[in-house]
Amino acid sequence: MRIVVLAGGIGGARFLLGLKSAAPEADITVIGNTGDDIHLFGLKVCPDLDTVMYTLGGGIHEEQGWGRAGETFAVKSELAVYGVGPEWFGLGDRDFATHIVRTQMIGAGYPLSAITEALCARWQPGVRLLPMTDDRVETHVLIDDPDADGGRKAVHFQEYWVRLRASVPAHAVVPVGAEQSKPAPGVLEAIAAADVVLFPPSNPVVSIGTILAVPGIREAIADAGVPVVGLSPIVGDAPVRGMADKVLAAVGVESTAAAVAAHYGSGLLDGWLVDTVDAGSTAEVEAAGIRCRAVPLMMTDTATTAQMAAEALTLAEEVRA
Amino acid sequence: MRIVVLAGGIGGARFLLGLKSAAPEADITVIGNTGDDIHLFGLKVCPDLDTVMYTLGGGIHEEQGWGRAGETFAVKSELAVYGVGPEWFGLGDRDFATHIVRTQMIGAGYPLSAITEALCARWQPGVRLLPMTDDRVETHVLIDDPDADGGRKAVHFQEYWVRLRASVPAHAVVPVGAEQSKPAPGVLEAIAAADVVLFPPSNPVVSIGTILAVPGIREAIADAGVPVVGLSPIVGDAPVRGMADKVLAAVGVESTAAAVAAHYGSGLLDGWLVDTVDAGSTAEVEAAGIRCRAVPLMMTDTATTAQMAAEALTLAEEVRA
């Protein structure tokens, strides 16, 4: 079975661990979000791709969900002594090596997709990991500008998310450069060849939404003629983790499992899993033309997550039948 | 008193510690060798400038003579796991931060002289440290090519020095790019304003020789009309440290204190200090038109090195008088 998964960072990566466990024989292609990529200290950092790569490759800091296990911070400390920031982005020494290799390869002319493949040759994630695009796309968030009366300013997604902890209202989320971007080599081919497409409980705006903003990807998924099944990142009326509610508000979507399904829409989504606490909303989702089931959606460990992934594949088969 | 010092790495840096101690009120400008600069992992590494900066700024690994004290090697280990080399160049985590800052500033368009000034703002070396040039000059060494019968190949100086430990014959030493290079801003001005110019016991070929290969610097020193005094890096018939004898052979110079003085020549050099074990050669040096004294030249500690620097300044005053 060929499965295509659109993934952001922590949520997508943890879901993929479960999916690999639930479908060990499956041929899995992951289309990773690169809208939160950022240049720090002159180095190209790809937080979501790396989180997937480190998680599936066994190098992730498990409790934290991002960054490397056993990490040290000598480089970052030294940069701070030089007065070179930002200090709010936690790059460890091991992680720095990844960004140094990537940046060196970019300087040598390799596209991000080839670089990601090279990095994965070490990590052996057990999936084919593709960036959504080789072009530069950068998610910016429009916030109030305290220095301009009534004015607003755009900040990089990482500044909004990591430095500001999403503590100020997001008025808009803009994937700068997306309109001009092309899917990375292999992306459209993987979708066209897929037996099923899954949306893990990743952020529907800044992760999956950004991937879908690359021209051609949304259309390819809608036209693939295979079941497209998603898992709600909202349980009750709060995100399972992260701050998805903050950016959902920016695009005018309520923080409920049903509202996120409607946001994707029945033109894209065939099936939707909500948590058992949201069982009352399945009728609303189904009324919108999306097959819906309520199952436990808390990714507490790999076994539980594997069960979620299995439920998603079961729902896909129901859709297909 | 305004003193200009041409410096390579370890020998130059240690001499400068002594000079600062011997002449605490002096205004010292250091013209640093950049011919051994190298790009590693996409980062610009300036070993000699950094050795001077770390040594005078109190951050040097004292026993080793280069690199940072209290260093760790997480980044290098990770790069090796990625299969990215070279592994023979020992960059530590703290040292990486310096190269990351430098490379980021190069990317932002700053010349090396401005970057060196910015880095020194942290290290406060107590001297004005200038790269010999802002242009790219790279010292290459011509060696036998074991893969080509009777053929030769050029390798980067660091490959010859660090990887090969100067264990193969050097047929030529070529400062690639030197002919087209210009002295960095401030270099010629500092020489013109100097009261004395000193050549520490740095490598006469790949350190001081490379600096003198930048068009205009040798001429400025010769024309400055102030005493130019050097200290022999050869004691007995061996280099005090390093492998200066290997590259002296490449330029056809004997490994003796007198031969190095003759190599600089009386057109450039006014005074020369040899070690007491070479007292027998002072007559030969003086016969070549260079005033010569025999004094202890082993830089065993700062007090001893300060005494050497004081002797050099005394010899400069003799020359002036």
Side-chain angles (χ1 to χ4, degrees), chain A residues 73-118:
Chain A
F73 293 88
V75 175
K76 183 181 154 91
S77 305
E78 276 299 307
L79 290 169
V81 181
Y82 275 118
V84 173
E87 294 192 39
W88 48 264
F89 204 91
L91 291 182
D93 298 327
R94 294 181 173 191
D95 202 18
F96 258 111
T98 301
H99 312 316
I100 288 170
V101 173
R102 178 184 290 121
T103 306
Q104 184 177 16
M105 290 188 74
I106 287 174
Y110 291 94
L112 185 59
S113 50
I115 296 167
T116 304
E117 190 179 349

Side-chain angles (χ1 to χ4, degrees), chain B residues 277-314:
Chain B
V277 305
D278 297 307
S281 66
T282 54
E284 179 187 347
V285 176
E286 297 225 325
I290 298 167
R291 193 174 289 246
C292 187
R293 295 287 174 273
V295 300
L297 286 190
M298 302 303 283
M299 298 192 286
T300 45
D301 54 45
T302 302
T304 313
T305 311
Q307 186 57 36
M308 283 167 54
E311 296 281 5
L313 294 174
T314 300

Side-chain angles (χ1 to χ4, degrees), chain B residues 198-220:
Chain B
L198 299 180
F199 295 177
S202 286
N203 190 303
V205 181
V206 295
S207 295
I208 296 181
T210 306
I211 300 170
L212 294 172
V214 176
I217 293 185
R218 175 187 290 271
E219 298 74 5

Side-chain angles (χ1 to χ4, degrees), chain A residues 41-43 53-54 68 72 74-75 78-79 81-82 84 93-94 96-98 100-101 104 119 122-123, chain B residues 41-43 53-54 68 72 74-75 78-79 81-82 84 93-94 96-98 100-101 104 119 122-123:
Chain A
F41 315 110
L43 301 172
M53 188 172 76
Y54 294 160
R68 296 286 309 278
T72 53
V75 175
E78 276 299 307
L79 290 169
V81 181
Y82 275 118
V84 173
D93 298 327
R94 294 181 173 191
F96 258 111
T98 301
I100 288 170
V101 173
Q104 184 177 16
L119 295 172
R122 169 198 170 173
W123 287 103
Chain B
F41 316 109
L43 301 172
M53 188 171 76
Y54 294 159
R68 296 286 309 278
T72 54
V75 175
E78 277 298 308
L79 290 169
V81 180
Y82 275 117
V84 173
D93 298 326
R94 293 181 174 191
F96 258 111
T98 300
I100 289 170
V101 172
Q104 184 177 18
L119 294 172
R122 168 196 171 174
W123 287 104

Side-chain angles (χ1 to χ4, degrees), chain A residues 154-204:
Chain A
V155 295
H156 190 287
F157 170 71
Q158 297 293 356
E159 185 172 352
Y160 174 74
W161 204 249
V162 179
R163 186 172 80 83
L164 299 172
R165 303 294 307 155
S167 59
V168 298
H171 300 298
V173 176
V174 184
V176 178
E179 278 179 34
Q180 291 77 41
S181 71
K182 293 184 301 293
V187 166
L188 297 183
E189 294 79 354
I191 295 169
D195 297 308
V196 56
V197 176
L198 299 179
F199 295 178
S202 287
N203 189 305

